[in-house]
Amino acid sequence: MKKTLIVRLYFKNAIHIGASTPGTGIEGTDKLIHSDTLWAALCNNWAIAGKVAGIPFDTFLDSFKTGNPLFKISSAFPCDGDEYWLPKPLSVPFPFSKSNPEPDDPDNKKEIKSLNFIRLSHFKNWIGFDETADETGIDEIADEENQPKKMADILRPHNTLDRISLASQIYHSGTTYFDAEKQSGFYFLLQTEEEKYQEVKSAVERILGIIQDTSGIGGNRGIGLGAIRDVEFLSFDETGNHQDDWGAIFPGSDEGKNAYCLLSLWHPNSIGDEPTGNDAYHETAVAYNLVLRKGWTGSLSVAHQVKRKTVYMFSEGSVFTGKPVGHLTDLSPDVTPSGQGYPHPIYRYGYALTVPMKIDPND
């Protein structure tokens, strides 16, 4: 049996999470932390620590390499006090569905389409796909009051100098600031087998403590961004009035559901003409977006950093009729500028954390 925890991250000041598609001279920011970025932070620091809560790094890494991950994580989404937001599913909700005898005003579709996140209670209704999906009304989902407001994205100017000519050039970088009361932040979901729950919780708590003490998450950490102020672990029964919402999203079985919504990035096990098993994504895809994942190796154990291979992954909110699985994908550069291979493999987390949902296949 699976057990799922909520891990809340509060930051001292601000954070920079680089967008996958920045503009010219502008390095934008995402208002979420992708699951592969979170896992990379855990993996890097686990490698340096060696053994955490009795779990050696080799045991941790081998579990992901062999397809039996020690745990799965979602991407990190906005939270504020006791409010949580989740990625908007890319499927058609009940109010707009052909299944609805009285479809909602189509003018609302444009407002809904522009949303990235919806409240936890709205997400529960969306994936439920029946009359309960219309209890709060589609207008309320699109209302600006129901979007995360206590974090703001600001473009900051930076100056860079050419190393040869010393010519100066201005570029802009996005930064996410949090509310002065320090109640807003990000949260992610951590899922593991019930018998491993205490062991995994202790290990992840310890690693996040190391990250809090030594570095942070995201970019521009050298100027203080991404520094963690506090980490909080919650079970669903500790979320107050949201206990029933979480219970509906993570039911004990998939009975009555016919699709799955991604809460993480997903990289299929097979890409090509002969996909295997549940990763036959081209046959099961209902609605999806792709996210470009690129960047530097970012190793804490190697002094020089180089560009890793580029890969596309399915984004949070994507919907499939088959349950996505995923794997750990190797993005190690073939050669470095020195002509040698990188000292160790570079992995990116591509396992899928999903929730069962209901859709109308005719929509």
Side-chain angles (χ1 to χ4, degrees):
M1 184 176 177
K2 305 287 186 183
K3 183 154 187 175
T4 306
L5 282 172
I6 298 170
V7 184
R8 295 175 60 118
L9 304 175
Y10 301 97
F11 296 89
K12 292 181 179 179
N13 180 22
I15 188 171
H16 170 74
I17 304 296
S20 57
T21 54
T24 304
I26 298 176
E27 187 179 359
T29 186
D30 280 332
K31 202 172 271 187
L32 83 165
I33 307 173
H34 291 298
S35 53
D36 63 338
T37 297
L38 282 173
W39 187 88
L42 296 173
C43 182
N44 252 324
N45 285 275
W46 208 311
I48 298 298
K51 192 174 186 178
V52 183
I55 306 175
F57 173 70
D58 287 344
T59 301
F60 159 83
L61 185 60
D62 286 345
S63 73
F64 291 91
K65 290 169 62 177
T66 58
N68 188 30
L70 189 62
F71 57 81
K72 288 186 177 182
I73 56 174
S74 72
S75 297
F77 309 113
C79 61
D80 176 21
D82 65 349
E83 293 296 333
Y84 300 89
W85 283 266
L86 285 155
K88 179 195 68 181
L90 298 180
S91 60
V92 177
F94 178 79
F96 297 138
S97 172
K98 296 176 182 177
S99 301
N100 187 357
E102 298 179 1
D104 204 292
D105 185 353
D107 290 341
N108 286 329
K109 287 185 178 181
K110 292 182 180 179
E111 296 181 12
I112 297 296
K113 188 176 182 179
S114 66
L115 299 178
N116 293 318
F117 304 103
I118 58 177
R119 283 186 183 271
L120 170 61
S121 57
H122 298 153
F123 185 88
K124 178 195 72 172
N125 290 336
W126 192 304
I127 67 173
F129 200 81
D130 54 26
E131 287 76 9
T132 62
D134 205 28
E135 286 180 359
T136 55
I138 207 73
D139 291 330
E140 186 176 334
I141 295 178
D143 193 327
E144 290 185 2
E145 293 298 316
N146 286 307
Q147 291 300 298
K149 295 195 302 179
K150 293 190 177 180
M151 52 176 65
D153 295 334
I154 298 175
L155 283 175
R156 298 175 58 187
H158 299 265
N159 181 49
T160 183
L161 295 178
D162 186 278
R163 295 188 179 186
I164 297 177
S165 67
L166 296 182
S168 176
Q169 183 175 353
I170 296 292
Y171 70 97
H172 291 79
S173 175
T175 304
T176 300
Y177 290 88
F178 301 94
D179 67 306
E181 292 81 12
K182 297 184 178 181
Q183 294 298 310
S184 61
F186 290 102
Y187 78 95
F188 67 93
L189 301 167
L190 174 71
Q191 189 176 82
T192 186
E193 298 292 341
E194 192 166 16
E195 60 268 20
K196 299 178 182 177
Y197 159 68
Q198 287 295 345
E199 184 182 30
V200 168
K201 179 178 180 292
S202 297
V204 173
E205 196 168 15
R206 173 62 180 143
I207 290 296
L208 288 174
I210 293 174
I211 295 173
Q212 180 179 357
D213 292 339
T214 61
S215 55
I217 294 177
N220 294 337
R221 296 195 299 273
I223 58 173
L225 299 185
I228 297 175
R229 174 175 58 85
D230 195 16
V231 179
E232 184 180 18
F233 284 76
L234 296 174
S235 60
F236 292 160
D237 56 8
E238 294 175 311
T239 58
N241 60 337
H242 292 304
Q243 181 177 349
D244 292 341
D245 293 335
W246 286 116
I249 291 173
F250 288 94
S253 72
D254 299 352
E255 186 177 354
K257 308 298 169 104
N258 60 353
Y260 297 87
C261 180
L262 283 177
L263 298 185
S264 65
L265 295 182
W266 172 43
H267 191 268
N269 292 22
S270 303
I271 296 181
D273 295 332
E274 298 181 358
T276 59
N278 287 326
D279 285 338
Y281 59 91
H282 67 294
E283 298 175 356
T284 65
V286 175
Y288 63 87
N289 282 330
L290 295 176
V291 177
L292 177 65
R293 306 305 290 151
K294 61 181 182 179
W296 298 82
T297 50
S299 173
L300 295 180
S301 56
V302 178
H304 65 283
Q305 308 302 322
V306 298
K307 287 283 189 178
R308 64 175 186 262
K309 291 180 179 177
T310 297
V311 69
Y312 279 95
M313 295 190 186
F314 290 103
S315 74
E316 303 85 352
S318 297
V319 176
F320 301 85
T321 54
K323 188 172 185 177
V325 180
H327 69 140
L328 203 64
T329 180
D330 189 344
L331 299 184
S332 306
D334 293 328
V335 293
T336 65
S338 64
Q340 305 296 320
Y342 203 68
H344 63 75
I346 299 298
Y347 295 108
R348 297 302 286 185
Y349 178 84
Y351 282 96
L353 181 63
T354 62
V355 291
M357 65 182 301
K358 188 176 179 182
I359 63 170
D360 183 344
N362 297 316
D363 284 334

